Amino acid sequence: MEDMRAAAGAEILPRFLGVAAEGIRTKTAPDDLVTDADLGAERRLGEAFSGRFPEALLVGEEAVSADPALLARLAHADLAVLIDPVDGTWNFAHGAPLFGMIVAIVSGGETVAGLIHYPVTGDFLAARKGLGAWHIARDSQTRLAVAPPSPVGEMHGFVPLHMFPAEDQPAYARHLLRFARTTTWRCSAYEYRAVATGAMSFSLNAELKPWDHAAGVLIHREAGGYGALLSGEAYRPSMTKGRLLLAPDAGSWEAIAQSLMEG
């Protein structure tokens, strides 16, 4: 947490609301952005975690963008640290304060600790396997709990429709009308905050980038939630393909999955 606060203070917050066009670059698509804040924060966190965990494999979002082969090593690493230096870069680059920093510790292919930091507000979500999930502010700690089960028609959830293949979007769009409301905030850090605190009931993710999901899945599970791929397979940080659904419990997961896929 100290390392994340320090990186945010040195590399991210000074650049927020002052991102110039020359400091923004695209990666895989026009809205897949990287900024100087992403690069600087990942470099600073990498240096800090190399000191704390000298034996660990460091897997940063921007490092993998430069060297995709790095990601293949995650499944076989005894210990790894996943780093998303600025999650919600599009929001950050356009002056919206919905962005965060995500770090996960993976041991033997399983996430054992996760942290999400919100630089603008200064607080964290944190979890360790078997020890619960917590909201941590400077002067308080509160245990997290997911939303209670409810009928599908009363559920609010996150579904990034634009990220699904074009041929699948019409069917998903029709099925989303079965829920009370669906949206996307373009930021996994804040979407995991909403589902882990009970503000939203569910989330469906179209892509499995480990720096986006490893910490959040653990936090959600430790807050009492249930998650799996739509195939029914349990999530693992080394996964790169599949559609990940998180819900308040196993029964809700089944009801949501049926509503998204049937009819």
Side-chain angles (χ1 to χ4, degrees):
M1 291 171 67
E2 293 173 358
D3 295 333
M4 295 173 80
R5 283 197 187 104
E11 304 289 348
I12 297 173
L13 289 174
R15 294 184 168 101
F16 183 49
L17 300 180
V19 178
E22 60 269 20
I24 305 174
R25 294 168 291 284
T26 61
K27 296 191 288 186
T28 61
D31 62 349
D32 182 16
L33 306 181
V34 61
T35 70
D36 292 341
D38 297 80
L39 299 171
E42 184 168 311
R43 181 177 60 251
R44 187 175 289 263
L45 288 174
E47 292 170 353
F49 295 146
S50 291
R52 293 186 183 276
F53 307 103
E55 74 281 20
L57 171 69
L58 300 184
V59 181
E61 178 180 10
E62 306 312 329
V64 172
S65 182
D67 179 13
L70 177 63
L71 187 56
R73 298 171 57 192
L74 177 60
H76 307 290
D78 292 333
L79 184 68
V81 182
L82 302 175
I83 303 171
D84 191 342
V86 181
D87 180 73
T89 299
W90 191 95
N91 293 338
F92 172 82
H94 293 91
L98 293 179
F99 61 89
M101 309 171 72
I102 306 177
V103 168
I105 308 297
V106 177
S107 178
E110 181 180 15
T111 309
V112 296
L115 282 170
I116 303 178
H117 180 43
Y118 305 91
V120 173
T121 51
D123 54 342
F124 289 82
L125 299 188
R128 289 181 64 184
K129 182 185 174 183
L131 298 178
W134 302 82
H135 174 255
I136 302 175
R138 293 191 181 274
D139 57 356
S140 66
Q141 296 188 22
T142 305
R143 190 152 191 167
L144 302 181
V146 300
S150 61
V152 164
E154 298 177 8
M155 289 186 181
H156 294 221
F158 295 107
V159 182
L161 187 61
H162 68 285
M163 296 183 69
F164 289 88
E167 62 270 19
D168 294 340
Q169 291 181 15
Y172 274 119
R174 291 193 303 272
H175 296 164
L176 296 185
L177 298 175
R178 297 168 175 171
F179 302 94
R181 178 182 298 178
T182 58
T183 187
T184 179
W185 289 350
R186 304 181 72 121
C187 176
S188 294
Y190 265 94
E191 293 185 3
Y192 275 110
R193 181 183 183 123
V195 295
T197 60
M200 300 287 270
S201 295
F202 72 95
S203 67
L204 176 66
N205 292 283
E207 296 181 349
L208 295 184
K209 297 177 180 178
W211 44 83
D212 285 336
H213 299 298
V217 169
L218 176 65
I219 290 168
H220 180 259
R221 183 171 69 241
E222 290 292 328
Y226 179 84
L229 274 61
L230 285 181
S231 64
E233 191 174 2
Y235 171 78
R236 299 186 306 278
S238 59
M239 290 176 164
T240 58
K241 294 182 180 180
R243 296 174 183 178
L244 174 64
L245 175 63
L246 303 183
D249 61 11
S252 300
W253 189 96
E254 291 286 352
I256 296 167
Q258 289 181 6
S259 296
L260 289 168
M261 299 173 66
E262 291 184 355

